[in-house]
mmCIF file of all heavy atoms in Angstrom:
data_model
loop_
_atom_site.group_PDB
_atom_site.id
_atom_site.type_symbol
_atom_site.label_atom_id
_atom_site.label_comp_id
_atom_site.label_asym_id
_atom_site.label_seq_id
_atom_site.Cartn_x
_atom_site.Cartn_y
_atom_site.Cartn_z
ATOM 1 N N LYS A 149 -82.748 60.331 -113.570
ATOM 2 C CA LYS A 149 -82.570 58.923 -113.979
ATOM 3 C C LYS A 149 -82.354 57.995 -112.789
ATOM 4 O O LYS A 149 -81.531 57.074 -112.857
ATOM 5 C CB LYS A 149 -81.402 58.784 -114.966
ATOM 6 C CG LYS A 149 -81.465 59.768 -116.141
ATOM 7 C CD LYS A 149 -80.540 59.346 -117.238
ATOM 8 C CE LYS A 149 -80.377 60.439 -118.267
ATOM 9 N NZ LYS A 149 -79.621 60.010 -119.437
ATOM 10 N N ASP A 151 -84.045 55.700 -111.846
ATOM 11 C CA ASP A 151 -84.364 54.294 -112.167
ATOM 12 C C ASP A 151 -83.174 53.530 -112.734
ATOM 13 O O ASP A 151 -83.154 52.306 -112.738
ATOM 14 C CB ASP A 151 -85.527 54.251 -113.166
ATOM 15 C CG ASP A 151 -85.222 55.024 -114.435
ATOM 16 O OD1 ASP A 151 -85.101 56.270 -114.357
ATOM 17 O OD2 ASP A 151 -85.074 54.424 -115.490
ATOM 18 N N LEU A 152 -82.172 54.262 -113.232
ATOM 19 C CA LEU A 152 -81.069 53.600 -113.937
ATOM 20 C C LEU A 152 -79.871 53.287 -113.065
ATOM 21 O O LEU A 152 -79.103 52.384 -113.365
ATOM 22 C CB LEU A 152 -80.557 54.500 -115.069
ATOM 23 C CG LEU A 152 -81.290 54.465 -116.388
ATOM 24 C CD1 LEU A 152 -80.488 55.250 -117.405
ATOM 25 C CD2 LEU A 152 -81.490 53.029 -116.865
ATOM 26 N N SER A 176 -87.015 60.649 -111.446
ATOM 27 C CA SER A 176 -86.905 59.805 -112.623
ATOM 28 C C SER A 176 -88.047 60.182 -113.549
ATOM 29 O O SER A 176 -89.217 60.044 -113.176
ATOM 30 C CB SER A 176 -87.007 58.331 -112.249
ATOM 31 O OG SER A 176 -87.278 57.576 -113.415
ATOM 32 N N ALA A 177 -87.694 60.683 -114.733
ATOM 33 C CA ALA A 177 -88.734 61.036 -115.699
ATOM 34 C C ALA A 177 -89.408 59.753 -116.184
ATOM 35 O O ALA A 177 -90.615 59.710 -116.422
ATOM 36 C CB ALA A 177 -88.114 61.796 -116.871
ATOM 37 N N GLU A 178 -88.596 58.715 -116.299
ATOM 38 C CA GLU A 178 -89.059 57.420 -116.788
ATOM 39 C C GLU A 178 -90.097 56.811 -115.840
ATOM 40 O O GLU A 178 -91.159 56.361 -116.262
ATOM 41 C CB GLU A 178 -87.836 56.507 -116.890
ATOM 42 C CG GLU A 178 -88.056 55.198 -117.578
ATOM 43 C CD GLU A 178 -88.161 55.334 -119.088
ATOM 44 O OE1 GLU A 178 -87.682 56.349 -119.624
ATOM 45 O OE2 GLU A 178 -88.741 54.421 -119.702
ATOM 46 N N PRO A 201 -75.250 68.724 -118.003
ATOM 47 C CA PRO A 201 -74.613 68.230 -119.220
ATOM 48 C C PRO A 201 -75.617 67.676 -120.217
ATOM 49 O O PRO A 201 -76.760 67.375 -119.857
ATOM 50 C CB PRO A 201 -73.696 67.110 -118.709
ATOM 51 C CG PRO A 201 -74.281 66.687 -117.421
ATOM 52 C CD PRO A 201 -74.936 67.897 -116.829
ATOM 53 N N SER A 202 -75.162 67.556 -121.463
ATOM 54 C CA SER A 202 -76.029 66.988 -122.499
ATOM 55 C C SER A 202 -76.364 65.544 -122.140
ATOM 56 O O SER A 202 -75.524 64.807 -121.643
ATOM 57 C CB SER A 202 -75.301 67.046 -123.839
ATOM 58 O OG SER A 202 -76.120 66.496 -124.839
ATOM 59 N N GLY A 203 -77.602 65.174 -122.368
ATOM 60 C CA GLY A 203 -78.033 63.802 -122.091
ATOM 61 C C GLY A 203 -78.393 63.565 -120.636
ATOM 62 O O GLY A 203 -78.681 62.437 -120.233
ATOM 63 N N ALA A 204 -78.396 64.630 -119.827
ATOM 64 C CA ALA A 204 -78.685 64.472 -118.400
ATOM 65 C C ALA A 204 -80.169 64.227 -118.133
ATOM 66 O O ALA A 204 -80.550 63.817 -117.042
ATOM 67 C CB ALA A 204 -78.223 65.707 -117.634
ATOM 68 N N GLY A 205 -81.000 64.523 -119.150
ATOM 69 C CA GLY A 205 -82.430 64.300 -118.985
ATOM 70 C C GLY A 205 -83.206 65.562 -118.658
ATOM 71 O O GLY A 205 -84.311 65.494 -118.114
ATOM 72 N N LYS A 206 -82.673 66.729 -119.042
ATOM 73 C CA LYS A 206 -83.361 67.988 -118.762
ATOM 74 C C LYS A 206 -84.671 68.075 -119.526
ATOM 75 O O LYS A 206 -85.722 68.363 -118.957
ATOM 76 C CB LYS A 206 -82.461 69.186 -119.138
ATOM 77 C CG LYS A 206 -81.140 69.208 -118.387
ATOM 78 C CD LYS A 206 -80.232 70.348 -118.823
ATOM 79 C CE LYS A 206 -79.730 70.240 -120.249
ATOM 80 N NZ LYS A 206 -78.888 69.070 -120.514
ATOM 81 N N SER A 207 -84.597 67.821 -120.842
ATOM 82 C CA SER A 207 -85.806 67.921 -121.657
ATOM 83 C C SER A 207 -86.812 66.834 -121.282
ATOM 84 O O SER A 207 -88.023 67.085 -121.240
ATOM 85 C CB SER A 207 -85.459 67.819 -123.145
ATOM 86 O OG SER A 207 -84.550 68.847 -123.496
ATOM 87 N N SER A 208 -86.311 65.639 -120.964
ATOM 88 C CA SER A 208 -87.206 64.548 -120.550
ATOM 89 C C SER A 208 -87.961 64.926 -119.281
ATOM 90 O O SER A 208 -89.147 64.628 -119.128
ATOM 91 C CB SER A 208 -86.405 63.274 -120.280
ATOM 92 O OG SER A 208 -85.661 62.918 -121.410
ATOM 93 N N THR A 221 -85.983 64.963 -127.297
ATOM 94 C CA THR A 221 -84.994 64.274 -126.466
ATOM 95 C C THR A 221 -84.274 63.261 -127.347
ATOM 96 O O THR A 221 -84.761 62.901 -128.407
ATOM 97 C CB THR A 221 -85.641 63.505 -125.299
ATOM 98 O OG1 THR A 221 -86.484 62.484 -125.839
ATOM 99 C CG2 THR A 221 -86.465 64.409 -124.409
ATOM 100 N N CYS A 222 -83.124 62.842 -126.930
ATOM 101 C CA CYS A 222 -82.380 61.882 -127.737
ATOM 102 C C CYS A 222 -81.534 61.006 -126.838
ATOM 103 O O CYS A 222 -81.044 61.452 -125.805
ATOM 104 C CB CYS A 222 -81.498 62.631 -128.728
ATOM 105 S SG CYS A 222 -80.721 61.538 -129.898
ATOM 106 N N GLN A 223 -81.379 59.741 -127.269
ATOM 107 C CA GLN A 223 -80.623 58.808 -126.436
ATOM 108 C C GLN A 223 -79.163 59.183 -126.322
ATOM 109 O O GLN A 223 -78.590 59.711 -127.266
ATOM 110 C CB GLN A 223 -80.741 57.411 -127.022
ATOM 111 C CG GLN A 223 -82.122 56.891 -126.752
ATOM 112 C CD GLN A 223 -82.288 55.442 -127.085
ATOM 113 O OE1 GLN A 223 -81.487 54.860 -127.798
ATOM 114 N NE2 GLN A 223 -83.341 54.885 -126.571
ATOM 115 N N HIS A 233 -76.388 66.676 -127.590
ATOM 116 C CA HIS A 233 -76.737 68.090 -127.724
ATOM 117 C C HIS A 233 -78.025 68.264 -128.527
ATOM 118 O O HIS A 233 -78.067 68.927 -129.549
ATOM 119 C CB HIS A 233 -75.563 68.889 -128.311
ATOM 120 C CG HIS A 233 -74.391 68.864 -127.376
ATOM 121 N ND1 HIS A 233 -74.258 69.741 -126.344
ATOM 122 C CD2 HIS A 233 -73.358 68.015 -127.274
ATOM 123 C CE1 HIS A 233 -73.178 69.453 -125.646
ATOM 124 N NE2 HIS A 233 -72.610 68.400 -126.188
ATOM 125 N N THR A 234 -79.060 67.628 -128.020
ATOM 126 C CA THR A 234 -80.354 67.624 -128.694
ATOM 127 C C THR A 234 -81.017 69.000 -128.604
ATOM 128 O O THR A 234 -81.501 69.539 -129.596
ATOM 129 C CB THR A 234 -81.263 66.569 -128.037
ATOM 130 O OG1 THR A 234 -80.517 65.367 -127.926
ATOM 131 C CG2 THR A 234 -82.511 66.346 -128.858
ATOM 132 N N THR A 235 -81.046 69.561 -127.430
ATOM 133 C CA THR A 235 -81.640 70.890 -127.265
ATOM 134 C C THR A 235 -80.610 71.919 -127.730
ATOM 135 O O THR A 235 -79.447 71.834 -127.335
ATOM 136 C CB THR A 235 -82.004 71.128 -125.777
ATOM 137 O OG1 THR A 235 -82.834 70.057 -125.352
ATOM 138 C CG2 THR A 235 -82.710 72.452 -125.575
ATOM 139 N N PRO A 253 -79.536 74.026 -123.654
ATOM 140 C CA PRO A 253 -78.666 73.035 -124.261
ATOM 141 C C PRO A 253 -77.638 72.575 -123.228
ATOM 142 O O PRO A 253 -77.195 73.379 -122.418
ATOM 143 C CB PRO A 253 -77.962 73.816 -125.380
ATOM 144 C CG PRO A 253 -78.687 75.116 -125.503
ATOM 145 C CD PRO A 253 -79.324 75.374 -124.188
ATOM 146 N N GLY A 254 -77.291 71.311 -123.268
ATOM 147 C CA GLY A 254 -76.289 70.806 -122.325
ATOM 148 C C GLY A 254 -74.965 71.524 -122.524
ATOM 149 O O GLY A 254 -74.587 71.822 -123.650
HETATM 150 N N1 LIG B 401 -83.993 55.504 -117.825
HETATM 151 C C1 LIG B 401 -84.172 56.805 -117.905
HETATM 152 N N2 LIG B 401 -83.774 57.474 -118.996
HETATM 153 C C2 LIG B 401 -83.958 58.800 -119.041
HETATM 154 C C3 LIG B 401 -84.546 59.517 -117.973
HETATM 155 N N3 LIG B 401 -84.572 60.826 -118.294
HETATM 156 C C4 LIG B 401 -84.032 60.905 -119.534
HETATM 157 N N4 LIG B 401 -83.649 59.699 -119.975
HETATM 158 C C5 LIG B 401 -83.043 59.393 -121.266
HETATM 159 O O1 LIG B 401 -81.817 60.089 -121.390
HETATM 160 C C6 LIG B 401 -81.606 60.505 -122.747
HETATM 161 C C7 LIG B 401 -81.278 61.988 -122.789
HETATM 162 O O2 LIG B 401 -82.366 62.731 -122.313
HETATM 163 P P1 LIG B 401 -82.658 64.244 -122.753
HETATM 164 O O3 LIG B 401 -83.888 64.646 -122.007
HETATM 165 O O4 LIG B 401 -82.644 64.384 -124.213
HETATM 166 O O5 LIG B 401 -81.377 64.960 -122.139
HETATM 167 P P2 LIG B 401 -81.033 66.534 -122.152
HETATM 168 O O6 LIG B 401 -80.440 66.841 -120.826
HETATM 169 O O7 LIG B 401 -82.213 67.317 -122.542
HETATM 170 O O8 LIG B 401 -79.892 66.610 -123.273
HETATM 171 P P3 LIG B 401 -79.464 67.868 -124.231
HETATM 172 O O9 LIG B 401 -80.699 68.437 -124.801
HETATM 173 O O10 LIG B 401 -78.567 67.254 -125.233
HETATM 174 O O11 LIG B 401 -78.733 68.835 -123.337
HETATM 175 C C8 LIG B 401 -82.904 60.130 -123.488
HETATM 176 O O12 LIG B 401 -82.699 58.925 -124.184
HETATM 177 C C9 LIG B 401 -83.897 59.923 -122.390
HETATM 178 O O13 LIG B 401 -84.898 58.977 -122.737
HETATM 179 C C10 LIG B 401 -84.963 58.780 -116.828
HETATM 180 O O14 LIG B 401 -85.493 59.290 -115.835
HETATM 181 N N5 LIG B 401 -84.729 57.437 -116.845
#
Side-chain angles (χ1 to χ4, degrees):
K149 310 196 192 187
D151 57 293
L152 277 189
S176 164
E178 189 75 21
S202 180
K206 301 177 294 297
S207 302
S208 303
T221 63
C222 188
Q223 287 189 343
H233 296 275
T234 312
T235 306

